[in-house]
């Protein structure tokens, strides 16, 4: 089953060809904690931007290997695109931007990104 998500204003929306996961990653690095992400990772071919490509602004930092893309209307970052450990392209989906995700039911995997 696929699921859909969007930024707050709805300009940027996407569809993921996968079930909504029951786990999510929460990272304490300076970037993730400020944005309050609950992330899941999918192969890029399961991720499709359905609207708002013209509204996306990109933010890169550190090694510049992740494109943090946020809506330039409402400022919400609903996903980013990067490279996984084996060199494969992945999308990091912010489950906070997926209305059908039961955030309270997620098993949270804590990542100590602040120590990387
Ligand atoms: Zn927006």
């Amino acid at each position: 089953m696929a699921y859909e998500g969007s930024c707050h204003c709805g300009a940027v929306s996407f569809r993921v060809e996968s079930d909504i996961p029951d786990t999510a990653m929460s990272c304490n690095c300076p970037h993730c904690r400020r944005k309050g992400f609950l992330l899941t990772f999918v192969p890029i071919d399961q991720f499709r931007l359905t609207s708002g490509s013209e509204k996306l602004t990109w933010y890169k930092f550190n090694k510049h290997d992740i494109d943090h893309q946020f809506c330039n209307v409402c400022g919400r970052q609903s996903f980013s695109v990067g490279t996984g450990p084996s060199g494969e392209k992945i999308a990091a989906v912010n489950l906070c931007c997926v209305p059908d995700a039961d955030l309270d039911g997620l098993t949270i995997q804590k990542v100590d990104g602040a120590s990387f």
Side-chain angles (χ1 to χ4, degrees):
M1 258 246 332
Y3 62 91
E4 296 180 339
S6 66
C7 65
H8 181 251
C9 75
V12 175
S13 63
F14 60 87
R15 179 179 172 88
V16 178
E17 296 297 331
S18 174
D19 291 334
I20 295 178
D22 52 14
T23 62
M25 189 199 84
S26 173
C27 173
N28 65 358
C29 84
H31 180 254
C32 289
R33 65 177 288 160
R34 280 174 172 79
K35 291 190 172 175
F37 290 142
L38 292 175
L39 294 174
T40 188
F41 300 90
V42 297
I44 196 68
D45 59 3
Q46 292 179 15
F47 178 88
R48 186 163 52 89
L49 190 67
T50 48
S51 72
S53 60
E54 75 288 355
K55 300 288 191 204
L56 286 170
T57 299
W58 301 39
Y59 175 54
K60 294 187 179 189
F61 62 98
N62 196 11
K63 289 183 280 184
H64 287 223
D65 52 5
I66 303 174
D67 297 326
H68 295 280
Q69 305 182 29
F70 61 94
C71 173
N72 66 21
V73 179
C74 70
R76 197 71 180 115
Q77 183 177 338
S78 48
F79 68 95
S80 57
V81 175
T83 306
S86 322
E88 74 281 16
K89 275 278 185 192
I90 56 169
V93 175
N94 183 4
L95 291 171
C96 298
C97 295
V98 175
D100 288 342
D102 172 16
L103 300 183
D104 291 332
L106 291 170
T107 299
I108 303 299
Q109 298 171 326
K110 293 189 176 178
V111 172
D112 185 18
S115 300
F116 292 173

